Amino acid sequence: MMKNIYKIKIIIVSIILFTACTGDFEEINVDENSPTIATSGTLLPSTIFGAANSHLNVQLYLTNQVMQYKVYRNLNQLDAYDFATGANRFGKFWGDAYRAITDGNESIAYAQENELNAYIGAGKTINAFYLAALTELWIDVPYTEANKGLENTQPIYDKQEDIYPKVLTLLEEANTALSADTKGFILGGDILFKGDVMKWRKMANSLRLRYLLRLSNKGSINAAAQINDIVSDPSTYPIIESNEEAAIYDFTGLAPNTSDFSLLTTLGGLSPSVRFVDALDGVDANDDADDDPRLAFFADKPVDPSVSAGPFVGVKSGTTREEAQGTGGNAGLFASQFTTKFQDNKGLLDFVFISYAEVQFILSEARLKNYITTSTAQMYYEKGITANLNYWNLTMPSGFLTRADVAWDGTLETLINQKWIAMFFNNTLEMWGDYKRVGLPNLVPGSLATTITGGLVPTRVFYPTIEQSVNSANYQAAASSIGGDIITVKHWYQN
């Protein structure tokens, strides 16, 4: 029964080198020629890191474009909703996420057998995160019969209405286990918080706030009451209260602990979108002094001398390659380009599970809708903006929070627009979830994208092609259950 958790695993040389070379990883002395027992300490790193890069790549190539942050002018198929071209990237995350959950399950089982509550809580927290990401991308996905290896290669698909409550349960159980812990991470392996149990609790409860808000349209969840329970009892349910406490995996920039994006040798053809420029270019596009400082941080002015002193120029989302490349006559010269600072400094871009800024925007919306009674929606909103600027080490301009395009006006539209800005490179997959939930920010599909979806913004991606062949019967049942394996099907939590 439980003996399978002690199964012998061969630790592949590359993994050993990975743990040895990464500054944030615990040092583990392993005989490379001998098998070793998989413990919670050896499993936790792969649980945390194993799917981070493929998750980030889904953001970089899918949700950053669907949510109209940027445009790949030369390779704009995903921007134009041709999601079949992204099958390999999406399939990579599917496999990596399930491997991370498998390692998480083994880590939890070992920890339960050995009464190691910190590892139980950490495993359940990470599993909840990746399970939520899977259902956010595909809706119904395997869970109860998944991760069993050769014991079951054709798992059934669980319904999203069952998956998200399981995510919430995992996070509540994680907080309970972590709060009862007395041993800490005695086996090492905590490459996220370096053994700080309280930060794991804050991550679990902050993620629970995120997913409760995601499900707040579903009366059966009673999300408002649960959000209030968390916020009104910080000793039982501590949450992230600063950038220093945020759940962010540090890519050091030293191989192999780097993001795939930082290793790109060229960003030719990558521009900010029209929407991104318009949202951050201030009241007067010709006056750089009133720009949001994040605009110049993420984008450069057009390089042609005739326009380089003028305003930033975005590229239309969801249009043809020819139109995108033809921006200003020649986009390479007359459109803004995306910054190369994340390639110049390979440790600058990290993997964000959940940020302090996101937590503040969650609380702002909860207060706006009277789910909670603490503080004010405006105060949480302004803390969210401030937190994001501080995260990128940017100075807030004088009077920034009172500017016409930033000032709090008591509307959900303003709140979500600033949250949209803050979520760039802070997990845009979750911003896509917010869009599906509230229909904000206002996104207008481009001319080519409109021909694919009839003017609708996509809600999901196609199931991996391997599922269609290896797990055909259950794939067909799942596709039928959600309304077809198409990219505009509504999620269970959507109105």
Side-chain angles (χ1 to χ4, degrees), residues 152-453:
N152 186 357
T153 59
Q154 297 178 321
I156 63 169
Y157 286 56
D158 294 69
K159 293 183 179 299
Q160 188 177 73
E161 62 194 85
D162 298 319
I163 292 171
Y164 260 126
K166 181 60 179 176
V167 167
L168 296 176
T169 298
L170 283 169
L171 293 170
E172 189 164 14
E173 290 174 349
N175 180 60
T176 299
L178 290 160
S179 65
D181 178 69
T182 59
K183 299 178 182 178
F185 291 90
I186 60 173
L187 301 178
D190 179 11
I191 60 173
L192 183 58
F193 291 126
K194 299 179 175 62
D196 191 324
V197 174
M198 178 56 76
K199 286 183 179 179
W200 278 101
R201 289 185 67 191
K202 292 189 173 191
M203 175 184 179
N205 294 318
S206 297
L207 286 174
R208 193 167 158 227
L209 284 176
R210 170 198 282 168
Y211 302 128
L212 283 169
L213 192 61
R214 180 74 42 78
L215 305 180
S216 57
N217 292 332
K218 306 303 295 186
S220 60
I221 299 298
N222 200 15
Q226 291 195 63
I227 290 171
N228 185 60
D229 288 344
I230 294 171
V231 176
S232 63
D233 190 358
S235 62
T236 303
Y237 302 109
I239 61 175
I240 293 167
E241 297 180 288
S242 68
N243 281 328
E244 291 69 33
E245 294 178 346
I248 299 174
Y249 177 75
D250 178 25
F251 284 119
T252 62
L254 301 176
N257 189 23
T258 55
S259 68
D260 292 344
F261 184 66
S262 71
L263 299 178
L264 295 178
T265 57
T266 178
L267 291 181
L270 180 58
S271 289
S273 71
V274 168
R275 190 185 199 288
F276 189 77
V277 170
D278 287 351
L280 281 80
D281 212 8
V283 176
D284 183 355
N286 293 304
D287 182 7
D288 289 352
D290 79 342
D291 287 356
D292 187 311
R294 289 168 289 192
L295 180 56
F297 180 80
F298 287 119
D300 297 325
K301 292 284 189 76
V303 297
D304 190 274
S306 67
V307 293
S308 59
F312 288 86
V313 179
V315 173
K316 288 182 180 180
S317 297
T319 188
T320 64
R321 178 182 181 275
E322 290 72 22
E323 184 176 0
Q325 285 287 55
T327 302
N330 181 342
L333 297 175
F334 300 108
S336 292
Q337 310 299 311
F338 195 78
T339 180
T340 62
K341 59 171 49 76
F342 295 107
Q343 287 68 46
D344 300 334
N345 178 1
K346 291 177 172 51
L348 181 60
L349 179 62
D350 294 326
F351 180 74
V352 179
F353 289 96
I354 185 167
S355 68
Y356 172 52
E358 183 185 351
V359 173
Q360 292 304 298
F361 285 115
I362 290 169
L363 295 175
S364 180
E365 184 175 346
R367 185 65 184 89
L368 180 66
K369 294 179 175 179
N370 290 318
Y371 296 167
I372 60 176
T373 58
T374 54
S375 191
T376 65
Q378 178 178 351
M379 184 171 291
Y380 287 130
Y381 166 82
E382 292 177 350
K383 283 184 177 181
I385 296 171
T386 304
N388 187 245
L389 288 169
N390 289 341
Y391 174 76
W392 295 115
N393 290 317
L394 297 173
T395 300
M396 180 181 291
S398 176
F400 183 72
L401 294 176
T402 59
R403 283 184 3 184
D405 58 329
V406 179
W408 174 251
D409 62 1
T411 67
L412 184 61
E413 183 173 4
T414 293
L415 190 163
I416 294 296
N417 198 55
Q418 281 297 323
K419 185 178 183 180
W420 175 81
I421 296 170
M423 292 295 279
F424 187 48
F425 276 132
N426 272 240
N427 203 332
T428 55
L429 177 60
E430 299 305 329
M431 197 64 233
W432 193 27
D434 275 337
Y435 176 81
K436 286 176 275 190
R437 175 176 60 88
V438 298
L440 295 170
N442 182 38
L443 302 178
V444 180
S447 55
L448 181 57
T450 296
T451 68
I452 304 295
T453 63

Side-chain angles (χ1 to χ4, degrees), residues 113 131 402 421 495:
E113 186 75 3
L131 180 58
T402 59
I421 296 170
N495 284 334

